[in-house]
Amino acid sequence: TPVALSARRRTDVLTVALHTTPAGFAIDPRIPAGRGAWASLGFLFRDAAAKWLDIGPDEIEVGVHPRPVEGSVQGQVFIADTLENGAGYAKRMEGRFEELLDVADAYAQGLATHGDDHPCDSSCYRCLRDYGNRSWHPLLDWRLAVDLLDLLRGRGIDFDRDEQRDARA
């Protein structure tokens, strides 16, 4: 007999998605590369917001959700308060979303220079990884997060951005 388990809890949630996916890009959260890009963006937001709001990263939950849009599937990342009934972090991030994007941009610039002695080519414990997101580690890549952040901000992706860093790695 089929069995289903569920748990209900009330909390605030912020969802972030692209209005349109640029031609030639596949950021489908059902495939590993797309899921990794959305998850990486979520953890970039989480870590930037934790510093910005002066809270612990464990107070924000990140997840990836596929959503049907006009016959295709697009991804979205959700950011939620971990406390039952919410602590208001997601609502605060939503109300000051442009500021969150600025904070995330500043954090992303720091990721480009972290680990200069041993360049990080995807993710490490100095950038997106921590014990709490260990199940996401194989998918996390700070460069995918930065590329998706660029798309969210309406900027093109700079494909040569990491050329020197890649050569050193």
Side-chain angles (χ1 to χ4, degrees), residues 134-151:
R134 65 193 171 281
S135 62
W136 292 96
H137 287 183
L139 296 176
L140 296 180
D141 188 323
W142 65 269
R143 294 184 290 189
L144 288 175
V146 171
D147 289 345
L148 202 45
L149 181 61
D150 284 344
L151 292 178

Side-chain angles (χ1 to χ4, degrees), residues 45-113:
F45 278 144
R46 181 203 67 174
D47 292 348
K51 289 176 179 31
W52 176 45
L53 300 172
D54 194 25
I55 59 174
D58 59 330
E59 295 184 62
I60 300 174
E61 182 178 354
V62 172
V64 176
H65 179 69
R67 65 186 179 115
V69 176
E70 299 174 7
S72 69
V73 175
Q74 291 184 351
Q76 66 182 17
V77 65
F78 68 83
I79 302 165
D81 302 347
T82 57
L83 299 174
E84 191 169 333
N85 295 325
Y89 303 134
K91 192 173 281 292
R92 190 177 318 166
M93 286 186 267
E94 177 192 13
R96 296 165 58 188
F97 190 67
E98 284 298 319
E99 193 173 346
L100 173 63
L101 290 175
D102 292 341
V103 169
D105 261 337
Y107 183 66
Q109 287 175 0
L111 294 179
T113 59

Side-chain angles (χ1 to χ4, degrees), residues 14-35:
L14 167 66
T15 58
V16 179
L18 293 170
H19 287 291
T20 57
T21 303
F25 286 90
I27 316 171
D28 186 336
R30 298 173 301 174
I31 61 173
R35 191 164 187 77

